[in-house]
Amino acid sequence: MRLSSRVQAPTKQGSIRGLASFVKSRTSSKGFPFAHGQPGGMLQACRPQPGANGPRGQQTRGARWENYTKANYGSQRGNRYRNNDHKQSFFDRLKPETTIYAIIALNGAVFLVWQSAKGRANSFGDYGLVNWMVKNFSIMWVNLSEGRLWTLITPAFSHIDPMHLFINMFVLYSFGIDLARLLTPKRFLKFYLGAAICGNVISAVVRGIVMPISTGNHSTKAQPSLGASTSVVGITTLFACLYPNATLMLFMVVPVPAWLATVGFIGWDMINVVRSSNSKADGAGHLGGAAAGAAYYWFKLRPLIRRMR
């Protein structure tokens, strides 16, 4: 089982006002409607160094970014996505907050199904629902070899342990809303699912092909893994690529730059891959999610930022 911030978009003046913390308030008196509350949660509010007017210090032009995202990120209050000229689909009309809350709600619903399945198994010896959930909401080589390709996505909404669910959803909430504002909700959803697919493919290949060949232990082909960690690690890695010097509060206590925290977690996941037979954490899935976040930054966002100099 995988055991496993927020970023501010450029305003029309082309400046990054700071990084929002994990707070309840979500509106400001003017400008881009971001939270400006007291620092808390995993990400402490901070400001870029002088001259750092955008991701990685690049000078960005808000109007060009708005044209790229096709979203009205101006100072108007209310529905920020209503005044676009192009015809909008359902996903174009989604708000960042609604997108994150929907993902959290879906994860919570699947978690309740897992609890029901465990209850039926423990109380009545009925493992039918447990077996169905393992086949459809966990990733393992056996599932893919039997044609259940949807398990490349469904594990990103699946948790059994309540603490596992809480940690993943807390990190998703802390980083996800502002990244959804930066990318637009539609692109954020695509990235969330893409990171899940990338992480789950790596996880299945490592457990289903690499480990049986290297260790001779073929039982890992049927070893299930689940959790939103693939997508969450992708989100945090993307954040660290955009804002490497942002201050994160590690374990709510230790302030560290985002790049150092990300490198540390990636190193830990590499160790877990090596000793995966003795670890509950799916390090391979985490590394796949991190690779998706880094690739999205390098091939999608970095060229755009360079053009905005």
Side-chain angles (χ1 to χ4, degrees):
M1 180 184 297
R2 300 190 188 98
L3 301 176
S4 7
S5 101
R6 305 176 40 147
V7 53
Q8 197 132 350
T11 64
K12 286 187 175 180
Q13 289 73 26
S15 64
I16 303 293
R17 286 190 230 165
L19 302 173
S21 61
F22 182 71
V23 292
K24 295 182 180 179
S25 172
R26 296 204 168 279
T27 58
S28 62
S29 58
K30 60 181 180 179
F32 193 80
F34 271 20
H36 293 277
Q38 297 297 321
M42 297 186 68
L43 174 64
Q44 184 176 10
C46 58
R47 292 182 181 274
Q49 297 299 321
N53 293 322
R56 285 189 169 272
Q58 301 295 342
Q59 179 75 26
T60 60
R61 298 188 178 96
R64 294 187 64 179
W65 185 272
E66 290 169 11
N67 182 61
Y68 169 72
T69 60
K70 296 182 179 180
N72 179 11
Y73 286 138
S75 59
Q76 296 180 357
R77 303 295 293 273
N79 189 346
R80 303 184 297 280
Y81 304 92
R82 182 173 52 197
N83 299 323
N84 297 326
D85 295 331
H86 73 293
K87 186 177 179 181
Q88 295 178 329
S89 67
F90 169 78
F91 292 102
D92 292 324
R93 293 192 297 269
L94 282 176
K95 295 182 179 180
E97 297 87 350
T98 305
T99 304
I100 302 303
Y101 295 154
I103 295 175
I104 293 175
L106 185 54
N107 275 272
V110 176
F111 171 77
L112 294 178
V113 177
W114 272 112
Q115 301 313 302
S116 175
K118 289 172 58 180
R120 291 172 58 176
N122 294 333
S123 300
F124 307 107
D126 182 3
Y127 288 87
L129 184 56
V130 170
N131 293 333
W132 186 87
M133 292 294 290
V134 170
K135 290 181 179 179
N136 292 279
F137 282 88
S138 69
I139 182 65
M140 55 183 173
W141 184 256
V142 171
N143 279 346
L144 296 183
S145 64
E146 294 180 356
R148 291 186 286 274
L149 300 182
W150 54 87
T151 57
L152 292 174
I153 294 178
T154 52
F157 303 92
S158 180
H159 300 80
I160 298 177
D161 181 71
M163 184 56 65
H164 187 200
L165 173 67
F166 172 77
I167 293 174
N168 277 340
M169 296 303 99
F170 176 76
V171 177
L172 172 64
Y173 182 90
S174 299
F175 289 83
I177 291 180
D178 288 338
L179 277 183
R181 283 173 174 153
L182 183 69
L183 302 176
T184 72
K186 183 177 181 179
R187 284 189 175 90
F188 179 84
L189 283 173
K190 290 181 178 179
F191 174 73
Y192 183 93
L193 297 178
I197 292 173
C198 184
N200 287 327
V201 166
I202 298 299
S203 174
V205 169
V206 168
R207 292 174 182 268
I209 298 178
V210 176
M211 291 183 63
I213 293 176
S214 61
T215 65
N217 181 11
H218 292 269
S219 64
T220 56
K221 292 183 178 180
Q223 185 176 5
S225 177
L226 69 166
S229 304
T230 50
S231 298
V232 169
V233 172
I235 290 169
T236 56
T237 302
L238 177 59
F239 175 87
C241 290
L242 286 168
Y243 298 93
N245 295 319
T247 301
L248 305 184
M249 298 304 294
L250 190 64
F251 305 118
M252 313 293 183
V253 177
V254 183
V256 295
W259 71 266
L260 181 59
T262 301
V263 170
F265 282 121
I266 290 176
W268 178 252
D269 285 326
M270 289 181 175
I271 295 175
N272 284 331
V273 170
V274 174
R275 60 182 185 89
S276 56
S277 59
N278 299 321
S279 174
K280 293 183 178 180
D282 185 0
H286 293 175
L287 292 176
Y296 189 86
Y297 167 77
W298 188 263
F299 295 107
K300 188 71 175 179
L301 298 185
R302 183 173 177 271
L304 179 65
I305 294 172
R306 292 171 65 87
R307 291 198 299 269
M308 289 179 178
R309 285 181 176 179

